[in-house]
Amino acid sequence: MRKIESIKSIREYLSVARKADSLIGFVPTMGAIHAGHRSLMRAARADCAEVVVSIFVNPTQFGPSEDFAQYPRPIKADLAACAEEKVDAVFCPSVEEMYACGSATTVQVSGLTEGLCGGHRPGHFDGVTTVVAKLFNIVQPDIAYFGQKDAQQATVIRRMVHDLLWPLKIVVCPTVREPDGLAMSSRNAYLTPHERRQALCLHQSLSEAQAAIEAGHRDTGKLIEHMRERIVSAGPCAIDYIAIVDPDDLTDLRMVEKRCLIALAVRIGSTRLIDNILVDANSSAG
Ligand code: PAF
């Protein structure tokens, strides 16, 4: 496995795969590799002859009071995990390499970025789309892999790729969970043992909402209220949002009629956790 730090070198490295017409699969990450990232690498390995992972903690997607400085950077363990997943190359540029020219350009997807996490993390998605656009231009993958756990991010990136006519397929892989249901996240490492137990209420509230929809409940206001009660009763927390939206355009739904995305963001202690579940009301008993 090659570890590559400069844009020039990764371009040179990939020009060989491109000449050989090899399918290039790309998994962008901020490192702190966990089983969720590994599932994306495995999907890429199954589909593509050349698999590239990027590890870059992108400063422009963190707000001024967020955890950029504190974000875990276990680069040795990350490289070992990538090697175990038979990744061909890991691109790990510095901030100077990615933002050398004091960029004046921001890639912004409107509409889809305004609600859910976008409503609570101003500028976050502009940072994500701008860095992912740069990474796509550097790697020029045929397929890029993202996790369903970051459902809004995946929807926004899909839209960016569609609007900017990128000849690239986006694959969204299912959320990977701990055996007790907690969604894998690099930020889980911030939780104390007590907060870690409390955090189980996120997935529990989503599962209960899914069961309620499957039992025929359709009123999203009532479903959200039950979820809120469930989460608040688990312990002190701050709920950024609980929402039931159309999975394609992320607009709020009043009634669940077909497919919906139930999404939430909750702060437990100083850790902000997100999770979501896709539910199809038509395939349920209700
Ligand atoms: O999901 C992430 O880890 C990041 O938002 C991404 C897509 C790597 C962009 O920095």
Side-chain angles (χ1 to χ4, degrees):
M1 187 183 78
R2 296 277 302 274
K3 176 186 176 219
I4 298 176
E5 292 175 5
S6 79
I7 294 170
K8 186 169 176 287
S9 304
I10 187 87
R11 282 194 167 135
E12 277 167 12
Y13 171 81
L14 285 170
S15 67
V16 178
R18 208 160 281 114
K19 271 195 203 115
D21 244 357
S22 300
L23 213 57
I24 299 174
F26 178 43
V27 181
T29 81
M30 296 206 300
I33 302 297
H34 52 66
H37 297 118
R38 283 175 180 258
S39 75
L40 305 182
M41 294 176 204
R42 277 179 209 162
R45 187 71 284 166
D47 294 342
C48 304
E50 186 69 38
V51 175
V52 181
V53 169
S54 64
I55 297 180
F56 178 63
V57 185
N58 173 37
T60 65
Q61 68 188 78
F62 289 80
S65 60
E66 292 186 351
D67 56 341
F68 173 67
Q70 190 196 348
Y71 200 84
R73 291 164 170 86
I75 188 69
K76 256 178 123 174
D78 284 351
L79 291 171
C82 292
E84 271 172 34
E85 297 305 335
K86 302 187 171 46
V87 166
D88 296 299
V90 179
F91 176 50
C92 31
S94 63
V95 172
E96 294 70 37
E97 185 74 3
M98 288 299 283
Y99 291 100
C101 46
S103 310
T105 303
T106 299
V107 179
Q108 186 176 59
V109 175
S110 60
L112 290 175
T113 55
E114 279 151 30
L116 306 178
C117 287
H120 296 266
R121 301 185 69 188
H124 167 70
F125 284 112
D126 292 354
V128 170
T129 43
T130 302
V131 82
V132 171
K134 283 175 182 255
L135 290 167
F136 284 173
N137 278 329
I138 294 165
V139 175
Q140 296 179 36
D142 297 291
I143 312 181
Y145 298 80
F146 294 87
Q148 172 63 25
K149 154 112 182 329
D150 296 300
Q152 186 174 17
Q153 169 172 282
T155 307
V156 167
I157 287 168
R158 230 191 245 291
R159 184 61 194 255
M160 172 181 79
V161 165
H162 174 268
D163 288 355
L164 296 182
L165 312 173
W166 249 305
L168 148 70
K169 181 176 164 194
I170 300 294
V171 170
V172 180
C173 299
T175 302
V176 177
R177 298 182 181 280
E178 301 276 7
D180 60 11
L182 184 70
M184 295 281 181
S185 163
S186 305
R187 290 189 168 100
N188 290 350
Y190 300 154
L191 297 167
T192 65
H194 178 77
E195 290 169 345
R196 167 73 182 68
R197 281 192 295 279
Q198 184 184 338
L200 295 181
C201 70
L202 271 59
H203 180 241
Q204 286 161 357
S205 74
L206 289 165
S207 302
E208 284 170 15
Q210 175 174 29
I213 292 170
E214 287 172 359
H217 295 273
R218 294 287 178 264
D219 183 326
T220 59
K222 288 189 183 145
L223 290 162
I224 289 171
E225 207 31 56
H226 280 117
M227 291 177 70
R228 186 177 300 279
E229 280 164 17
R230 182 81 178 78
I231 291 168
V232 167
S233 71
C237 64
I239 298 176
D240 272 3
Y241 65 82
I242 302 172
I244 302 184
V245 299
D246 180 301
D248 299 320
D249 62 17
L250 306 183
T251 54
D252 282 319
L253 296 173
R254 212 178 61 72
M255 300 295 281
V256 181
E257 272 153 18
K258 40 186 176 121
R259 284 168 72 243
C260 70
L261 176 75
I262 314 178
L264 48 75
V266 178
R267 291 169 201 269
I268 297 181
S270 57
T271 309
R272 184 177 189 275
L273 298 171
I274 60 172
D275 200 352
N276 68 78
I277 196 168
L278 273 167
V279 180
D280 187 346
N282 295 328
S283 71
S284 67

